[in-house]
Amino acid sequence: TSGSIVSDMQRHLNPILTWIARKILGYPLSMGIITPLYAATASETLEMNGEYITCWARRSAPRGQANNEQLAAQLWEWCEEQVKDV
C-alpha cells in the first residue's frame, strides 16, 4: 500500500482529475496522522537509529548509498560550503 491520503490539496485540480486522484489515493485524511504520531510517541522508535518509519508506521532501512560514510562526509562538506557565508 502507499501512504497517500485524500486531502483538500486537490481542490485546484480539474474535477475529473480530482475524482481520479480520490479513487487512486483513497485513504481518508485522518489516516495521515498514523505515521508521525507513532514516530513521536512509540517507545520502540527510540531504538530505530538509522532507520525510517514509512507509511502506516512500518520500519524501513535506508538504501545502499545512505549508509556510505564517504558519501555522507562529502555531502556534509558540500552543505557546509553552501552556508558558510550565511
Side-chain angles (χ1 to χ4, degrees):
T1 63
S2 72
S4 300
I5 57 170
V6 174
S7 71
D8 198 30
M9 295 293 290
Q10 298 89 17
R11 70 184 174 276
H12 298 293
L13 289 176
N14 175 298
I16 294 171
L17 293 176
T18 300
W19 182 83
I20 292 170
R22 290 179 187 271
K23 291 294 180 185
I24 291 172
L25 300 176
Y27 294 102
L29 186 58
S30 61
M31 296 288 285
I33 192 63
I34 291 173
T35 301
L37 185 61
Y38 176 78
T41 61
S43 61
E44 297 86 1
T45 60
L46 295 173
E47 305 299 323
M48 294 177 62
N49 191 22
E51 293 181 77
Y52 297 98
I53 301 174
T54 62
C55 56
W56 317 132
R58 293 179 294 168
R59 292 176 84 153
S60 179
R63 295 190 177 169
Q65 288 188 339
N67 291 321
N68 182 323
E69 291 185 23
Q70 181 181 0
L71 191 59
Q74 290 173 350
L75 175 60
W76 186 266
E77 290 173 19
W78 181 85
C79 289
E80 290 284 332
E81 180 67 27
Q82 301 308 304
V83 298
K84 73 178 182 182
D85 295 327
V86 176

